[in-house]
Amino acid sequence: ERVTDYLRNNHVDVVQMKNYISFDIEKSMVIDRTGNRSNAERIADLLGINRKNIVQQINSDYFLDVSLVIGKDYSQLKSNVK
């Protein structure tokens, strides 16, 4: 919820929050769903996620630009820095 609040406070429309298919993700990543990498880069930059951790998985069935997967490095994200 902290990440969701942080993103919303930075003018990001968070549509849904749910668990990813695995809990064994080391590094947080941003998934580009539309092919517009700049949207994924904005989210990565807001949270301090390395742009190397942006992957593209275009899916027109999803009505969103990006998916965010929080990894075991969650405590290092900018949303958790006071």
Side-chain angles (χ1 to χ4, degrees), residues 15-75:
V15 178
Q16 184 178 36
M17 181 178 63
K18 64 181 184 175
N19 290 331
Y20 190 58
I21 56 176
S22 172
F23 289 101
D24 197 33
I25 305 297
E26 291 297 321
K27 297 285 186 179
S28 298
M29 66 178 159
V30 181
I31 304 171
D32 171 12
R33 299 293 188 185
T34 63
N36 185 351
R37 186 174 169 92
S38 64
N39 289 331
E41 289 174 348
R42 177 171 178 254
I43 300 303
D45 293 347
L46 273 172
L47 290 168
I49 296 172
N50 190 315
R51 287 186 177 191
K52 292 179 184 177
N53 294 349
I54 297 174
V55 296
Q56 187 178 68
Q57 294 177 356
I58 296 175
N59 188 333
S60 59
D61 293 336
Y62 294 166
F63 297 103
L64 46 84
D65 295 327
V66 301
S67 295
L68 171 64
V69 179
I70 308 286
K72 292 179 182 178
D73 63 344
Y74 67 91
S75 64

